[in-house]
Short mmCIF file of all heavy atoms in Angstrom, two decimals:
data_model
loop_
_atom_site.label_atom_id
_atom_site.label_comp_id
_atom_site.label_asym_id
_atom_site.label_seq_id
_atom_site.Cartn_x
_atom_site.Cartn_y
_atom_site.Cartn_z
N MET W 37 -28.74 24.14 7.42
CA MET W 37 -28.89 22.70 7.47
C MET W 37 -27.61 22.04 6.98
O MET W 37 -27.02 22.43 5.99
CB MET W 37 -30.07 22.29 6.59
CG MET W 37 -30.42 20.84 6.71
SD MET W 37 -32.01 20.47 5.96
CE MET W 37 -31.46 19.64 4.50
N GLU W 38 -27.19 21.03 7.71
CA GLU W 38 -25.97 20.31 7.38
C GLU W 38 -26.19 19.41 6.16
O GLU W 38 -27.23 18.77 6.03
CB GLU W 38 -25.59 19.44 8.58
CG GLU W 38 -24.12 19.16 8.68
CD GLU W 38 -23.80 18.52 10.01
OE1 GLU W 38 -23.78 19.24 11.02
OE2 GLU W 38 -23.57 17.30 10.01
N PRO W 39 -25.22 19.36 5.22
CA PRO W 39 -25.37 18.50 4.04
C PRO W 39 -25.47 17.03 4.44
O PRO W 39 -24.87 16.60 5.42
CB PRO W 39 -24.11 18.76 3.22
CG PRO W 39 -23.39 19.87 3.86
CD PRO W 39 -23.96 20.08 5.22
N THR W 40 -26.20 16.26 3.66
CA THR W 40 -26.32 14.83 3.90
C THR W 40 -25.88 14.06 2.66
O THR W 40 -25.82 14.63 1.57
CB THR W 40 -27.77 14.43 4.25
OG1 THR W 40 -28.62 14.81 3.17
CG2 THR W 40 -28.24 15.09 5.53
N LEU W 41 -25.58 12.80 2.85
CA LEU W 41 -25.17 11.94 1.75
C LEU W 41 -26.32 11.03 1.34
O LEU W 41 -26.91 10.36 2.18
CB LEU W 41 -23.98 11.07 2.16
CG LEU W 41 -22.66 11.79 2.37
CD1 LEU W 41 -21.65 10.85 3.02
CD2 LEU W 41 -22.13 12.31 1.05
N THR W 42 -26.62 11.02 0.05
CA THR W 42 -27.64 10.13 -0.49
C THR W 42 -27.07 9.47 -1.75
O THR W 42 -25.98 9.83 -2.21
CB THR W 42 -28.92 10.91 -0.87
OG1 THR W 42 -28.62 11.79 -1.95
CG2 THR W 42 -29.47 11.69 0.31
N GLU W 43 -27.82 8.57 -2.32
CA GLU W 43 -27.39 7.90 -3.54
C GLU W 43 -27.19 8.89 -4.69
O GLU W 43 -26.46 8.60 -5.64
CB GLU W 43 -28.39 6.82 -3.94
CG GLU W 43 -28.36 5.62 -3.02
CD GLU W 43 -29.36 4.54 -3.43
OE1 GLU W 43 -30.12 4.73 -4.39
OE2 GLU W 43 -29.37 3.50 -2.75
N SER W 44 -27.80 10.07 -4.60
CA SER W 44 -27.63 11.08 -5.67
C SER W 44 -26.20 11.61 -5.73
O SER W 44 -25.82 12.25 -6.70
CB SER W 44 -28.63 12.23 -5.49
OG SER W 44 -28.35 12.95 -4.31
N GLU W 45 -25.39 11.34 -4.70
CA GLU W 45 -23.98 11.77 -4.71
C GLU W 45 -23.09 10.82 -5.50
O GLU W 45 -21.94 11.14 -5.80
CB GLU W 45 -23.45 11.89 -3.28
CG GLU W 45 -23.66 13.24 -2.63
CD GLU W 45 -25.10 13.65 -2.51
OE1 GLU W 45 -25.85 13.15 -1.65
OE2 GLU W 45 -25.51 14.49 -3.33
N GLU W 46 -23.59 9.63 -5.83
CA GLU W 46 -22.78 8.66 -6.56
C GLU W 46 -22.38 9.24 -7.92
O GLU W 46 -23.20 9.82 -8.62
CB GLU W 46 -23.54 7.35 -6.72
CG GLU W 46 -23.74 6.66 -5.38
CD GLU W 46 -24.61 5.42 -5.43
OE1 GLU W 46 -25.07 5.01 -6.51
OE2 GLU W 46 -24.84 4.83 -4.34
N GLY W 47 -21.09 9.15 -8.24
CA GLY W 47 -20.56 9.68 -9.49
C GLY W 47 -19.95 11.07 -9.36
O GLY W 47 -19.30 11.54 -10.28
N LYS W 48 -20.14 11.72 -8.21
CA LYS W 48 -19.58 13.06 -8.03
C LYS W 48 -18.11 13.00 -7.65
O LYS W 48 -17.66 12.06 -7.00
CB LYS W 48 -20.34 13.81 -6.92
CG LYS W 48 -21.75 14.18 -7.31
CD LYS W 48 -22.42 14.99 -6.21
CE LYS W 48 -23.85 15.33 -6.60
NZ LYS W 48 -24.51 16.12 -5.55
N ASP W 49 -17.38 14.03 -8.06
CA ASP W 49 -15.98 14.16 -7.67
C ASP W 49 -15.90 14.53 -6.19
O ASP W 49 -16.79 15.19 -5.65
CB ASP W 49 -15.29 15.25 -8.48
CG ASP W 49 -15.15 14.88 -9.95
OD1 ASP W 49 -15.11 13.67 -10.26
OD2 ASP W 49 -15.08 15.79 -10.78
N VAL W 50 -14.80 14.10 -5.55
CA VAL W 50 -14.56 14.40 -4.14
C VAL W 50 -13.24 15.17 -4.06
O VAL W 50 -12.23 14.76 -4.65
CB VAL W 50 -14.46 13.11 -3.30
CG1 VAL W 50 -14.22 13.45 -1.83
CG2 VAL W 50 -15.70 12.26 -3.47
N ALA W 51 -13.25 16.28 -3.32
CA ALA W 51 -12.04 17.09 -3.18
C ALA W 51 -11.93 17.62 -1.75
O ALA W 51 -12.91 17.65 -1.00
CB ALA W 51 -12.08 18.27 -4.15
N THR W 52 -10.72 18.05 -1.40
CA THR W 52 -10.51 18.71 -0.12
C THR W 52 -10.87 20.19 -0.28
O THR W 52 -11.04 20.68 -1.40
CB THR W 52 -9.05 18.60 0.33
OG1 THR W 52 -8.22 19.22 -0.66
CG2 THR W 52 -8.64 17.15 0.53
N ARG W 53 -10.96 20.88 0.82
CA ARG W 53 -11.30 22.30 0.82
C ARG W 53 -10.33 23.13 -0.02
O ARG W 53 -10.70 24.11 -0.64
CB ARG W 53 -11.34 22.80 2.27
CG ARG W 53 -11.81 24.19 2.45
CD ARG W 53 -11.98 24.58 3.91
NE ARG W 53 -10.96 24.01 4.78
CZ ARG W 53 -11.21 23.53 5.99
NH1 ARG W 53 -12.42 23.54 6.48
NH2 ARG W 53 -10.25 23.04 6.74
N ASP W 54 -9.06 22.71 -0.06
CA ASP W 54 -8.06 23.46 -0.84
C ASP W 54 -7.93 22.98 -2.28
O ASP W 54 -7.00 23.34 -2.98
CB ASP W 54 -6.72 23.50 -0.12
CG ASP W 54 -6.16 22.12 0.20
OD1 ASP W 54 -6.87 21.11 0.01
OD2 ASP W 54 -5.02 22.05 0.67
N GLY W 55 -8.89 22.15 -2.74
CA GLY W 55 -8.95 21.79 -4.15
C GLY W 55 -8.23 20.52 -4.57
O GLY W 55 -8.20 20.19 -5.75
N GLU W 56 -7.67 19.80 -3.62
CA GLU W 56 -6.97 18.54 -3.95
C GLU W 56 -8.01 17.46 -4.29
O GLU W 56 -8.88 17.14 -3.48
CB GLU W 56 -6.13 18.10 -2.75
CG GLU W 56 -5.28 16.90 -3.00
CD GLU W 56 -3.91 17.23 -3.54
OE1 GLU W 56 -3.41 18.34 -3.30
OE2 GLU W 56 -3.35 16.36 -4.21
N THR W 57 -7.92 16.90 -5.49
CA THR W 57 -8.87 15.87 -5.91
C THR W 57 -8.54 14.53 -5.26
O THR W 57 -7.38 14.11 -5.27
CB THR W 57 -8.86 15.73 -7.44
OG1 THR W 57 -9.23 16.97 -8.01
CG2 THR W 57 -9.82 14.64 -7.90
N LEU W 58 -9.56 13.87 -4.73
CA LEU W 58 -9.38 12.58 -4.07
C LEU W 58 -9.89 11.43 -4.93
O LEU W 58 -9.32 10.34 -4.91
CB LEU W 58 -10.10 12.57 -2.73
CG LEU W 58 -9.67 13.65 -1.75
CD1 LEU W 58 -10.56 13.65 -0.53
CD2 LEU W 58 -8.22 13.45 -1.36
N GLY W 59 -10.97 11.65 -5.64
CA GLY W 59 -11.55 10.59 -6.46
C GLY W 59 -13.01 10.86 -6.74
O GLY W 59 -13.44 12.01 -6.79
N THR W 60 -13.78 9.79 -6.90
CA THR W 60 -15.19 9.86 -7.25
C THR W 60 -15.99 8.96 -6.32
O THR W 60 -15.55 7.85 -6.00
CB THR W 60 -15.39 9.38 -8.71
OG1 THR W 60 -14.56 10.15 -9.57
CG2 THR W 60 -16.83 9.54 -9.15
N VAL W 61 -17.16 9.42 -5.92
CA VAL W 61 -18.04 8.60 -5.08
C VAL W 61 -18.57 7.44 -5.92
O VAL W 61 -19.18 7.65 -6.96
CB VAL W 61 -19.22 9.42 -4.52
CG1 VAL W 61 -20.18 8.52 -3.74
CG2 VAL W 61 -18.72 10.55 -3.64
N GLU W 62 -18.30 6.20 -5.47
CA GLU W 62 -18.82 5.06 -6.21
C GLU W 62 -20.07 4.48 -5.56
O GLU W 62 -20.88 3.85 -6.25
CB GLU W 62 -17.75 3.99 -6.45
CG GLU W 62 -17.24 3.27 -5.27
CD GLU W 62 -16.13 2.27 -5.63
OE1 GLU W 62 -15.77 2.09 -6.81
OE2 GLU W 62 -15.60 1.67 -4.69
N LYS W 63 -20.26 4.73 -4.26
CA LYS W 63 -21.43 4.18 -3.58
C LYS W 63 -21.68 4.99 -2.31
O LYS W 63 -20.75 5.45 -1.66
CB LYS W 63 -21.16 2.72 -3.22
CG LYS W 63 -22.26 2.03 -2.46
CD LYS W 63 -21.87 0.60 -2.13
CE LYS W 63 -22.86 -0.03 -1.19
NZ LYS W 63 -22.43 -1.34 -0.74
N VAL W 64 -22.96 5.13 -1.94
CA VAL W 64 -23.35 5.72 -0.66
C VAL W 64 -24.25 4.72 0.04
O VAL W 64 -25.20 4.21 -0.54
CB VAL W 64 -24.08 7.07 -0.84
CG1 VAL W 64 -24.57 7.59 0.50
CG2 VAL W 64 -23.18 8.09 -1.52
N ASP W 65 -23.92 4.44 1.31
CA ASP W 65 -24.70 3.48 2.08
C ASP W 65 -24.81 3.97 3.52
O ASP W 65 -23.80 4.08 4.22
CB ASP W 65 -24.02 2.11 2.04
CG ASP W 65 -24.82 1.02 2.72
OD1 ASP W 65 -26.06 1.14 2.83
OD2 ASP W 65 -24.20 0.04 3.17
N GLN W 66 -26.01 4.31 3.95
CA GLN W 66 -26.30 4.73 5.32
C GLN W 66 -25.39 5.85 5.80
O GLN W 66 -24.80 5.79 6.87
CB GLN W 66 -26.24 3.54 6.26
CG GLN W 66 -27.26 2.47 5.93
CD GLN W 66 -27.20 1.30 6.88
OE1 GLN W 66 -26.80 1.43 8.02
NE2 GLN W 66 -27.63 0.14 6.41
N GLY W 67 -25.25 6.89 4.99
CA GLY W 67 -24.48 8.06 5.38
C GLY W 67 -22.98 7.93 5.22
O GLY W 67 -22.22 8.80 5.66
N VAL W 68 -22.52 6.85 4.60
CA VAL W 68 -21.09 6.64 4.34
C VAL W 68 -20.89 6.59 2.84
O VAL W 68 -21.57 5.85 2.14
CB VAL W 68 -20.58 5.34 4.99
CG1 VAL W 68 -19.11 5.10 4.64
CG2 VAL W 68 -20.77 5.37 6.49
N ALA W 69 -19.94 7.38 2.34
CA ALA W 69 -19.61 7.38 0.92
C ALA W 69 -18.32 6.59 0.69
O ALA W 69 -17.34 6.76 1.42
CB ALA W 69 -19.43 8.81 0.41
N TYR W 70 -18.35 5.74 -0.32
CA TYR W 70 -17.18 4.94 -0.71
C TYR W 70 -16.57 5.59 -1.94
O TYR W 70 -17.27 5.91 -2.90
CB TYR W 70 -17.60 3.50 -1.00
CG TYR W 70 -18.09 2.81 0.24
CD1 TYR W 70 -19.40 2.97 0.69
CD2 TYR W 70 -17.23 2.02 1.00
CE1 TYR W 70 -19.85 2.35 1.85
CE2 TYR W 70 -17.67 1.39 2.16
CZ TYR W 70 -18.98 1.57 2.57
OH TYR W 70 -19.41 0.97 3.73
N VAL W 71 -15.24 5.80 -1.91
CA VAL W 71 -14.56 6.59 -2.93
C VAL W 71 -13.68 5.71 -3.82
O VAL W 71 -12.86 4.93 -3.31
CB VAL W 71 -13.68 7.67 -2.27
CG1 VAL W 71 -12.93 8.48 -3.31
CG2 VAL W 71 -14.53 8.57 -1.38
N ALA W 72 -13.85 5.85 -5.15
CA ALA W 72 -12.92 5.29 -6.11
C ALA W 72 -11.81 6.31 -6.23
O ALA W 72 -12.02 7.42 -6.72
CB ALA W 72 -13.60 5.06 -7.45
N VAL W 73 -10.64 5.98 -5.72
CA VAL W 73 -9.53 6.92 -5.61
C VAL W 73 -8.98 7.29 -6.99
O VAL W 73 -8.79 6.43 -7.85
CB VAL W 73 -8.43 6.32 -4.72
CG1 VAL W 73 -7.20 7.20 -4.68
CG2 VAL W 73 -8.96 6.10 -3.31
N ALA W 74 -8.70 8.58 -7.16
CA ALA W 74 -8.08 9.07 -8.39
C ALA W 74 -6.64 8.57 -8.48
O ALA W 74 -5.94 8.49 -7.47
CB ALA W 74 -8.11 10.60 -8.42
N ASP W 75 -6.22 8.23 -9.70
CA ASP W 75 -4.85 7.73 -9.90
C ASP W 75 -3.79 8.71 -9.43
O ASP W 75 -2.73 8.31 -8.96
CB ASP W 75 -4.61 7.42 -11.39
CG ASP W 75 -5.40 6.21 -11.85
OD1 ASP W 75 -5.79 5.37 -11.01
OD2 ASP W 75 -5.65 6.12 -13.07
N ASP W 76 -4.07 10.01 -9.55
CA ASP W 76 -3.07 11.02 -9.18
C ASP W 76 -3.26 11.59 -7.77
O ASP W 76 -2.60 12.55 -7.40
CB ASP W 76 -3.07 12.16 -10.21
CG ASP W 76 -4.41 12.86 -10.32
OD1 ASP W 76 -5.41 12.36 -9.77
OD2 ASP W 76 -4.46 13.92 -10.96
N ALA W 77 -4.12 10.99 -6.96
CA ALA W 77 -4.33 11.45 -5.59
C ALA W 77 -3.10 11.11 -4.75
O ALA W 77 -2.62 9.98 -4.75
CB ALA W 77 -5.57 10.82 -4.98
N SER W 78 -2.60 12.10 -4.04
CA SER W 78 -1.41 11.88 -3.22
C SER W 78 -1.78 11.15 -1.92
O SER W 78 -2.92 11.20 -1.46
CB SER W 78 -0.77 13.23 -2.87
OG SER W 78 -1.60 13.97 -1.98
N ASP W 79 -0.80 10.47 -1.34
CA ASP W 79 -1.02 9.79 -0.06
C ASP W 79 -1.43 10.79 1.01
O ASP W 79 -2.27 10.49 1.85
CB ASP W 79 0.24 9.05 0.38
CG ASP W 79 0.51 7.82 -0.47
OD1 ASP W 79 -0.42 7.33 -1.15
OD2 ASP W 79 1.66 7.35 -0.47
N GLU W 80 -0.85 11.98 0.95
CA GLU W 80 -1.19 13.03 1.92
C GLU W 80 -2.66 13.42 1.79
O GLU W 80 -3.37 13.56 2.78
CB GLU W 80 -0.29 14.25 1.72
CG GLU W 80 -0.50 15.33 2.75
CD GLU W 80 0.42 16.51 2.56
OE1 GLU W 80 1.15 16.57 1.56
OE2 GLU W 80 0.39 17.39 3.42
N ALA W 81 -3.14 13.56 0.56
CA ALA W 81 -4.54 13.92 0.33
C ALA W 81 -5.45 12.80 0.80
O ALA W 81 -6.48 13.04 1.44
CB ALA W 81 -4.78 14.22 -1.14
N LEU W 82 -5.09 11.56 0.51
CA LEU W 82 -5.92 10.42 0.89
C LEU W 82 -6.00 10.24 2.40
O LEU W 82 -6.93 9.60 2.90
CB LEU W 82 -5.41 9.15 0.23
CG LEU W 82 -5.52 9.10 -1.29
CD1 LEU W 82 -4.91 7.82 -1.83
CD2 LEU W 82 -6.97 9.23 -1.73
N SER W 83 -5.07 10.84 3.13
CA SER W 83 -5.09 10.70 4.58
C SER W 83 -6.31 11.36 5.23
O SER W 83 -6.62 11.08 6.39
CB SER W 83 -3.80 11.27 5.19
OG SER W 83 -3.79 12.69 5.08
N VAL W 84 -7.04 12.21 4.49
CA VAL W 84 -8.25 12.82 5.05
C VAL W 84 -9.45 11.87 4.98
O VAL W 84 -10.48 12.12 5.60
CB VAL W 84 -8.61 14.16 4.35
CG1 VAL W 84 -7.46 15.13 4.43
CG2 VAL W 84 -9.07 13.96 2.93
N LEU W 85 -9.31 10.76 4.25
CA LEU W 85 -10.37 9.77 4.15
C LEU W 85 -10.19 8.69 5.21
O LEU W 85 -9.09 8.49 5.73
CB LEU W 85 -10.36 9.11 2.76
CG LEU W 85 -10.64 10.02 1.58
CD1 LEU W 85 -10.43 9.27 0.28
CD2 LEU W 85 -12.05 10.58 1.65
N ASN W 86 -11.26 7.99 5.52
CA ASN W 86 -11.20 6.84 6.41
C ASN W 86 -10.87 5.62 5.56
O ASN W 86 -11.19 5.57 4.38
CB ASN W 86 -12.55 6.62 7.09
CG ASN W 86 -13.02 7.88 7.81
OD1 ASN W 86 -12.28 8.51 8.53
ND2 ASN W 86 -14.26 8.25 7.57
N VAL W 87 -10.25 4.62 6.17
CA VAL W 87 -9.94 3.39 5.46
C VAL W 87 -10.69 2.25 6.13
O VAL W 87 -10.57 2.05 7.35
CB VAL W 87 -8.42 3.10 5.46
CG1 VAL W 87 -8.13 1.80 4.73
CG2 VAL W 87 -7.66 4.25 4.84
N GLU W 88 -11.50 1.55 5.34
CA GLU W 88 -12.22 0.37 5.81
C GLU W 88 -11.78 -0.79 4.95
O GLU W 88 -12.25 -0.94 3.82
CB GLU W 88 -13.73 0.59 5.70
CG GLU W 88 -14.26 1.66 6.63
CD GLU W 88 -15.76 1.82 6.53
OE1 GLU W 88 -16.44 0.92 5.98
OE2 GLU W 88 -16.26 2.85 7.01
N GLY W 89 -10.86 -1.58 5.46
CA GLY W 89 -10.29 -2.66 4.65
C GLY W 89 -9.48 -2.05 3.53
O GLY W 89 -8.53 -1.33 3.76
N GLU W 90 -9.89 -2.30 2.29
CA GLU W 90 -9.21 -1.71 1.13
C GLU W 90 -10.03 -0.59 0.53
O GLU W 90 -9.73 -0.13 -0.58
CB GLU W 90 -8.94 -2.80 0.10
CG GLU W 90 -7.95 -3.85 0.59
CD GLU W 90 -7.63 -4.88 -0.47
OE1 GLU W 90 -7.86 -4.62 -1.67
OE2 GLU W 90 -7.13 -5.94 -0.09
N LYS W 91 -11.06 -0.14 1.21
CA LYS W 91 -11.95 0.91 0.71
C LYS W 91 -11.67 2.24 1.42
O LYS W 91 -11.40 2.27 2.62
CB LYS W 91 -13.42 0.55 0.95
CG LYS W 91 -13.86 -0.71 0.26
CD LYS W 91 -14.12 -0.47 -1.19
CE LYS W 91 -14.69 -1.70 -1.86
NZ LYS W 91 -14.93 -1.52 -3.24
N TYR W 92 -11.73 3.32 0.66
CA TYR W 92 -11.64 4.66 1.22
C TYR W 92 -13.05 5.21 1.37
O TYR W 92 -13.88 5.09 0.46
CB TYR W 92 -10.83 5.58 0.31
CG TYR W 92 -9.35 5.30 0.34
CD1 TYR W 92 -8.77 4.40 -0.54
CD2 TYR W 92 -8.54 5.93 1.27
CE1 TYR W 92 -7.41 4.14 -0.52
CE2 TYR W 92 -7.18 5.68 1.30
CZ TYR W 92 -6.62 4.79 0.41
OH TYR W 92 -5.28 4.54 0.45
N THR W 93 -13.34 5.80 2.54
CA THR W 93 -14.68 6.30 2.81
C THR W 93 -14.63 7.67 3.48
O THR W 93 -13.59 8.11 3.97
CB THR W 93 -15.45 5.34 3.74
OG1 THR W 93 -14.84 5.35 5.04
CG2 THR W 93 -15.50 3.93 3.20
N PHE W 94 -15.79 8.33 3.50
CA PHE W 94 -15.98 9.49 4.35
C PHE W 94 -17.44 9.52 4.78
O PHE W 94 -18.29 8.88 4.18
CB PHE W 94 -15.57 10.81 3.66
CG PHE W 94 -16.38 11.16 2.45
CD1 PHE W 94 -17.54 11.92 2.55
CD2 PHE W 94 -15.98 10.74 1.18
CE1 PHE W 94 -18.27 12.25 1.42
CE2 PHE W 94 -16.71 11.06 0.05
CZ PHE W 94 -17.86 11.83 0.17
N GLN W 95 -17.69 10.27 5.87
CA GLN W 95 -19.03 10.33 6.44
C GLN W 95 -19.59 11.74 6.32
O GLN W 95 -18.86 12.70 6.05
CB GLN W 95 -19.00 9.90 7.90
CG GLN W 95 -18.53 8.48 8.07
CD GLN W 95 -18.43 8.06 9.51
OE1 GLN W 95 -18.43 8.88 10.42
NE2 GLN W 95 -18.35 6.76 9.73
N GLU W 96 -20.88 11.87 6.56
CA GLU W 96 -21.54 13.16 6.48
C GLU W 96 -20.88 14.22 7.36
O GLU W 96 -20.82 15.38 7.00
CB GLU W 96 -23.02 13.02 6.88
CG GLU W 96 -23.81 12.24 5.87
CD GLU W 96 -25.22 11.94 6.32
OE1 GLU W 96 -25.52 12.01 7.53
OE2 GLU W 96 -26.05 11.63 5.44
N SER W 97 -20.35 13.81 8.50
CA SER W 97 -19.72 14.76 9.42
C SER W 97 -18.47 15.41 8.82
O SER W 97 -18.00 16.42 9.33
CB SER W 97 -19.37 14.07 10.74
OG SER W 97 -18.44 13.02 10.51
N GLN W 98 -17.93 14.85 7.74
CA GLN W 98 -16.73 15.39 7.10
C GLN W 98 -17.05 16.35 5.96
O GLN W 98 -16.14 16.91 5.35
CB GLN W 98 -15.86 14.24 6.57
CG GLN W 98 -15.29 13.37 7.67
CD GLN W 98 -14.60 12.15 7.11
OE1 GLN W 98 -15.22 11.11 6.94
NE2 GLN W 98 -13.32 12.28 6.81
N LEU W 99 -18.33 16.58 5.65
CA LEU W 99 -18.71 17.42 4.53
C LEU W 99 -18.58 18.91 4.83
O LEU W 99 -18.92 19.36 5.91
CB LEU W 99 -20.17 17.15 4.14
CG LEU W 99 -20.52 15.76 3.64
CD1 LEU W 99 -22.02 15.67 3.40
CD2 LEU W 99 -19.75 15.45 2.38
N GLU W 100 -18.08 19.63 3.85
CA GLU W 100 -18.14 21.08 3.91
C GLU W 100 -19.19 21.61 2.94
O GLU W 100 -19.96 22.50 3.26
CB GLU W 100 -16.79 21.71 3.58
CG GLU W 100 -16.88 23.22 3.60
CD GLU W 100 -15.54 23.88 3.66
OE1 GLU W 100 -14.80 23.66 4.63
OE2 GLU W 100 -15.24 24.64 2.72
N ASP W 101 -19.23 21.04 1.72
CA ASP W 101 -20.17 21.51 0.71
C ASP W 101 -20.49 20.38 -0.27
O ASP W 101 -19.64 19.54 -0.55
CB ASP W 101 -19.57 22.70 -0.04
CG ASP W 101 -20.57 23.42 -0.92
OD1 ASP W 101 -21.78 23.37 -0.61
OD2 ASP W 101 -20.15 24.04 -1.91
N VAL W 102 -21.71 20.40 -0.79
CA VAL W 102 -22.13 19.46 -1.82
C VAL W 102 -22.78 20.26 -2.93
O VAL W 102 -23.72 21.01 -2.69
CB VAL W 102 -23.12 18.41 -1.26
CG1 VAL W 102 -23.59 17.49 -2.38
CG2 VAL W 102 -22.50 17.61 -0.13
N THR W 103 -22.23 20.12 -4.16
CA THR W 103 -22.82 20.79 -5.32
C THR W 103 -23.34 19.73 -6.28
O THR W 103 -23.27 18.53 -5.98
CB THR W 103 -21.78 21.67 -6.04
OG1 THR W 103 -20.80 20.82 -6.66
CG2 THR W 103 -21.10 22.65 -5.09
N ASP W 104 -23.81 20.16 -7.43
CA ASP W 104 -24.31 19.21 -8.42
C ASP W 104 -23.22 18.30 -8.97
O ASP W 104 -23.49 17.18 -9.39
CB ASP W 104 -24.97 19.93 -9.59
CG ASP W 104 -26.30 20.56 -9.19
OD1 ASP W 104 -26.89 20.15 -8.17
OD2 ASP W 104 -26.74 21.47 -9.90
N GLU W 105 -21.97 18.77 -8.99
CA GLU W 105 -20.87 18.00 -9.57
C GLU W 105 -19.82 17.53 -8.58
O GLU W 105 -19.03 16.66 -8.89
CB GLU W 105 -20.13 18.82 -10.64
CG GLU W 105 -20.93 19.07 -11.90
CD GLU W 105 -21.75 20.36 -11.81
OE1 GLU W 105 -21.30 21.28 -11.13
OE2 GLU W 105 -22.83 20.40 -12.39
N GLN W 106 -19.75 18.15 -7.39
CA GLN W 106 -18.61 17.91 -6.51
C GLN W 106 -19.01 17.89 -5.04
O GLN W 106 -19.93 18.59 -4.62
CB GLN W 106 -17.56 19.00 -6.73
CG GLN W 106 -16.28 18.78 -5.97
CD GLN W 106 -15.28 19.87 -6.23
OE1 GLN W 106 -15.58 21.05 -6.09
NE2 GLN W 106 -14.09 19.50 -6.66
N ILE W 107 -18.27 17.10 -4.28
CA ILE W 107 -18.37 17.09 -2.82
C ILE W 107 -17.05 17.61 -2.28
O ILE W 107 -15.98 17.15 -2.67
CB ILE W 107 -18.62 15.66 -2.30
CG1 ILE W 107 -19.98 15.17 -2.79
CG2 ILE W 107 -18.53 15.62 -0.78
CD1 ILE W 107 -20.25 13.73 -2.50
N VAL W 108 -17.12 18.60 -1.41
CA VAL W 108 -15.93 19.17 -0.79
C VAL W 108 -15.92 18.75 0.67
O VAL W 108 -16.89 18.95 1.40
CB VAL W 108 -15.92 20.72 -0.91
CG1 VAL W 108 -14.69 21.29 -0.23
CG2 VAL W 108 -15.98 21.13 -2.37
N LEU W 109 -14.79 18.17 1.08
CA LEU W 109 -14.64 17.73 2.47
C LEU W 109 -14.05 18.85 3.31
O LEU W 109 -13.29 19.69 2.82
CB LEU W 109 -13.75 16.50 2.54
CG LEU W 109 -14.24 15.29 1.77
CD1 LEU W 109 -13.28 14.10 1.99
CD2 LEU W 109 -15.65 14.90 2.19
N ASP W 110 -14.37 18.85 4.56
CA ASP W 110 -13.89 19.84 5.52
C ASP W 110 -12.46 19.48 5.95
O ASP W 110 -12.22 19.07 7.07
CB ASP W 110 -14.83 19.89 6.71
CG ASP W 110 -14.47 21.00 7.69
OD1 ASP W 110 -13.77 21.94 7.29
OD2 ASP W 110 -14.90 20.91 8.86
N ALA W 111 -11.52 19.59 5.00
CA ALA W 111 -10.13 19.25 5.26
C ALA W 111 -9.24 19.94 4.24
O ALA W 111 -9.64 20.13 3.10
CB ALA W 111 -9.93 17.74 5.17
N ASP W 112 -8.05 20.31 4.68
CA ASP W 112 -7.02 20.89 3.81
C ASP W 112 -5.85 19.92 3.73
O ASP W 112 -5.58 19.18 4.68
CB ASP W 112 -6.50 22.22 4.37
CG ASP W 112 -7.53 23.32 4.31
OD1 ASP W 112 -8.20 23.43 3.28
OD2 ASP W 112 -7.63 24.07 5.29
N VAL W 113 -5.15 19.97 2.63
CA VAL W 113 -3.91 19.22 2.48
C VAL W 113 -2.80 20.23 2.25
O VAL W 113 -2.66 20.75 1.15
CB VAL W 113 -3.98 18.23 1.29
CG1 VAL W 113 -2.67 17.47 1.16
CG2 VAL W 113 -5.13 17.27 1.48
N THR W 114 -2.10 20.56 3.30
CA THR W 114 -1.00 21.53 3.19
C THR W 114 0.15 21.15 4.08
O THR W 114 0.03 20.37 4.96
CB THR W 114 -1.46 22.94 3.56
OG1 THR W 114 -2.11 22.93 4.82
CG2 THR W 114 -2.38 23.49 2.51
#
């Protein structure tokens, strides 16, 4: 079963498959997660996220794994 996004993901860390930290989920709305970007996230790493205005987002289709503490996106930064 493919992972889904719910409000229970709010507050979890977001990272790429290769471990690059992107930030923290601040809100989930209708299968879209809004990310509070980490201060040390590189522009290259942030390029795996979608940009909606001034907000960084990702959708369920971009998920690789969801654990109790972290969401891993199906993307590498190399």
Side-chain angles (χ1 to χ4, degrees):
M37 187 167 106
E38 207 170 284
T40 59
L41 291 170
T42 66
E43 289 180 357
S44 66
E45 271 60 76
E46 293 174 2
K48 291 183 181 180
D49 293 334
V50 181
T52 60
R53 186 173 37 220
D54 56 352
E56 185 89 26
T57 300
L58 302 173
T60 305
V61 175
E62 67 183 357
K63 178 182 171 187
V64 175
D65 185 25
Q66 298 181 26
V68 177
Y70 294 83
V71 179
V73 174
D75 291 337
D76 60 349
S78 69
D79 289 341
E80 185 178 7
L82 294 177
S83 71
V84 304
L85 297 173
N86 306 313
V87 179
E88 294 182 16
E90 294 183 19
K91 299 282 185 181
Y92 286 91
T93 67
F94 64 89
Q95 299 177 344
E96 291 173 341
S97 61
Q98 294 172 269
L99 296 176
E100 178 164 299
D101 191 26
V102 177
T103 68
D104 289 340
E105 291 90 31
Q106 185 179 53
I107 295 172
V108 179
L109 300 183
D110 185 21
D112 291 317
V113 179
T114 52

